[in-house]
Amino acid sequence: MTLTVAVQMDPLAGINIAGDSTFALMLSAQARGHRLFHYGAEDLNWSDGRLWAKAHPVTVQRVVGDHFRFDEPVSLDLGEQADVVLMRQDPPFDLGYITATHLLERIADRTLVVNDPASVRNAPEKMWVLDYARFMPPTLITRSLDEARAFLARHREVVVKPLHGNGGKAIFKVGSDGANLSALIEVFNQTWREPHMIQAFLPAVAKGDKRIVLVDGEVAGAINRLPGEGEIRSNLAVGGSAEKTELTAREREICAALAPELKARGLIFVGIDVIGGEWLTEINVTSPTGIVAIEKFDGTDVAGMIWDVVEAKVGERNAPATR
C-alpha cells in the first residue's frame, strides 16, 4: 500500500533532525514507499466544500543541513488526493490552531487525520487531563490572586504555568514565602485571557519527568527526562536530558485508564507526562514528541508502530463494504 501523506507542520528548515519526532515519522513513511507533501497550517484554503493547501512534494534524509528537498509546489486537495494528513505543527494552541482543526474536521470522513482534529480541539493538554484528576497532583485552575495565595498556603510550594503553554515555556516555581506570586499572577493575567494552572510542587521532579508514548492506546515506550542544572523543567526543548526507564505499576494503571478513550477519540499518537512514577501532569495530543529518544534507549521503532496503525486504519476505510 502506497499512501499520499500530507504533513502539516512548521518549516522544515528549522527543525533539529536528531530528535524531531515529525522528521522521524517522515523518514519512516518514506522508507515504506509513501509519498510525502509538506505544508503549513497557514496554507490551508477552503471553498465550495473543498479543502486544499499549496504543498511541496518532499523527500527527506538524515543529513544535517541537507535534510530535505522540495519539488515544485502543487495545489493538493486534502479530501480527495491525500490518504493521510499528519497534523504536527507545534502549539501554541491558539485560534489559528483551533481553526486548522475545524478545517481538517471537514475532510476527516474521507482522509485519515492524525490525530483526529475534533479530538485534538476538545482535548488540550492541561484541560483534558482534568478528567483523570485522581492521578494528578493537587491542582488549581484560576486567574485569582487570592485563590492562588490560599492554594500556596495549603501546599507550601507551587508551580505556576500557562494553561495552553508547551515545551516547558513560562513555568515558574513559587516558594513558601510567596515572593513574586502577586507579580507573576499579574503578568499572567495581562498576557493570557484564560485561567492559569497552579500545582503543588513535586520534589520528585528532580529525579525526572517521564514521557510515556502511547500508540492507539497501547504503551510504545518511555523515557525519563532529567532537568538541567538549576532547572525544575525537564523538557528536552529547554535543556533536559533523557535516560532509559521502566514503567511503575501506577504508570501502567494510568495508561490502562486512558487507553479506551484514546482509541475512541482517534488519538493515535499521544505522549503523557508522569512525575515521581505516580503523578499525571499532561496528556499531549497536539504534537507529541519523544519517539527518537525511545528508539535510542530501547530500540523500539515507535514511528513504525504508528505507521502500522495508520496503514491498517486507511486499509479499513478503503475496504469494500460487506453485507
Side-chain angles (χ1 to χ4, degrees):
M1 176 192 300
T2 299
L3 302 179
T4 297
V5 179
V7 185
Q8 177 178 300
M9 65 179 292
D10 300 317
L12 270 169
I15 66 171
N16 174 14
I17 68 170
D20 191 272
S21 291
T22 306
F23 188 71
L25 286 168
M26 294 173 75
L27 283 172
S28 181
Q30 183 175 272
R32 291 172 176 235
H34 302 323
R35 296 185 295 269
L36 295 174
F37 291 81
H38 173 279
Y39 71 94
E42 66 278 6
D43 297 318
L44 289 171
N45 308 277
W46 181 92
S47 182
D48 294 329
R50 293 178 59 246
L51 181 67
W52 73 94
K54 184 179 180 181
H56 289 268
V58 60
T59 56
V60 290
Q61 59 182 358
R62 196 176 289 284
V63 178
V64 176
D66 187 25
H67 56 281
F68 72 97
R69 299 283 176 87
F70 278 161
D71 288 337
E72 289 299 312
V74 299
S75 179
L76 185 68
D77 188 317
L78 298 176
E80 299 299 330
Q81 295 175 307
D83 299 296
V84 181
V85 171
L86 293 184
M87 187 170 62
R88 291 288 303 175
Q89 77 270 23
D90 288 338
F93 193 72
D94 56 12
L95 282 175
Y97 211 114
I98 291 169
T99 300
T101 68
H102 279 293
L103 290 171
L104 289 173
E105 187 180 8
R106 296 178 180 275
I107 62 160
D109 60 334
R110 289 167 284 159
T111 301
L112 180 66
V113 183
V114 181
N115 287 321
D116 179 83
S119 294
V120 167
R121 185 173 64 247
N122 293 329
E125 274 81 354
K126 296 180 182 68
M127 288 300 297
W128 185 33
V129 70
L130 302 181
D131 287 359
Y132 301 91
R134 65 190 184 277
F135 298 122
M136 294 179 68
T139 298
L140 171 68
I141 308 292
T142 191
R143 290 177 61 87
S144 166
L145 176 58
D146 288 341
E147 295 294 343
R149 282 173 169 160
F151 189 80
L152 174 62
R154 289 196 299 274
H155 298 288
R156 307 300 296 167
E157 293 181 304
V158 300
V159 171
V160 183
K161 48 190 172 182
L163 197 59
H164 297 298
N166 71 295
K169 300 181 184 72
I171 297 177
F172 296 88
K173 179 186 175 185
V174 178
S176 58
D177 61 1
N180 295 322
L181 180 62
S182 60
L184 190 58
I185 295 299
E186 179 182 338
V187 169
F188 270 46
N189 283 348
Q190 290 174 351
T191 305
W192 293 287
R193 295 184 62 186
E194 64 270 17
H196 325 299
M197 175 172 275
I198 304 176
Q199 292 183 317
F201 175 68
L202 303 173
V205 75
K207 296 182 180 179
D209 176 1
K210 197 172 294 184
R211 164 57 57 90
I212 305 170
V213 170
L214 298 102
V215 176
D216 202 27
E218 303 296 325
V219 174
I223 52 169
N224 192 43
R225 301 175 298 181
L226 296 167
E229 185 176 354
E231 272 281 2
I232 63 167
R233 303 173 298 171
S234 55
N235 306 71
L236 302 183
V238 293
S241 59
E243 67 178 6
K244 185 178 176 65
T245 191
E246 301 290 340
L247 298 194
T248 66
R250 170 78 163 184
E251 288 165 342
R252 294 191 179 279
E253 180 187 359
I254 292 170
C255 292
L258 289 170
E261 197 63 23
L262 297 179
K263 285 178 172 286
R265 291 182 180 229
L267 295 170
I268 293 173
F269 179 11
V270 172
I272 67 171
D273 297 336
V274 182
I275 294 176
E278 59 177 322
W279 298 109
L280 176 66
T281 59
E282 293 188 16
I283 305 171
N284 297 277
V285 304
T286 50
S287 183
T289 61
I291 66 175
V292 176
I294 290 172
E295 181 172 1
K296 174 184 175 182
F297 289 110
D298 293 349
T300 305
D301 181 11
V302 182
M305 294 173 66
I306 292 168
W307 285 114
D308 286 345
V309 171
V310 168
E311 290 167 2
K313 289 185 179 295
V314 172
E316 290 169 4
R317 286 171 170 241
N318 294 340
T322 57
R323 295 188 178 185

